[in-house]
Amino acid sequence: MLGRTHFMGGALAGLALAKSMGLPLGEVWAVTGIAGFSALLPDVDTPKSTAGNVLFPLAFVLNRTLGHRGATHSLLAVLMLALAGAFIPGVKTIYLFAFVAGYLSHLLLDFLNPEGVPLLYPFGGRFSLGLFTTGTIFDNLLTVVLFAILFAGLKF
Ligand SMILES: [Zn+2]
């Protein structure tokens, strides 16, 4: 999936989380934004991605050691990052949930791709529905649909 598709998917996951918890407007925006940006994080394993551009040295090392769509695309990765986040002083629990929701949305969207994701890393196996490839018209169409749903959901 394209970075913008992942951002929209993550933001939508965050919005759904915030709305389901009945959060005040400021928190809705914060949770939606955190989830949107965390949805970009799994692709830090390639320098070609948005997160990889921002964190280039890390992206280079991860790409060389783990490859694209490796360990960063696993349930273990999101668990470890969430646990690490829990130890940051002052971080609200809802923000950790937003992070997890966004990150998981990335794994779900890449699951639609034929390449699949190693959800159970370090155990073997890649999981995929094989519906459509990154950068195709379907990827762009999904971005538009996710944006429309997000826009409708953010309208108060
Ligand atoms: Zn990915």
Side-chain angles (χ1 to χ4, degrees), residues 23-97:
L23 297 177
L25 186 59
E27 291 287 306
V28 170
W29 281 99
V31 166
T32 301
I34 290 167
F37 283 107
S38 76
L40 299 175
L41 209 51
D43 279 345
V44 73
D45 61 5
T46 173
K48 296 176 185 169
S49 69
T50 305
N53 272 318
V54 173
L55 303 168
F56 180 76
L58 176 64
F60 182 79
V61 171
L62 287 175
N63 193 263
R64 291 286 174 156
T65 56
L66 302 171
H68 181 44
R69 289 195 181 169
T72 63
H73 287 67
S74 68
L75 296 174
L76 179 63
V78 69
L79 178 68
M80 288 176 61
L81 289 170
L83 284 174
F87 287 101
I88 299 173
V91 173
K92 290 182 177 181
T93 305
I94 187 62
Y95 295 161
L96 284 175
F97 283 134

Side-chain angles (χ1 to χ4, degrees), residues 99-119:
F99 174 84
V100 169
Y103 204 101
L104 288 176
S105 77
H106 184 112
L107 303 185
L108 177 67
L109 286 173
D110 276 358
F111 173 70
L112 303 176
N113 193 290
E115 259 184 77
V117 287
L119 283 177

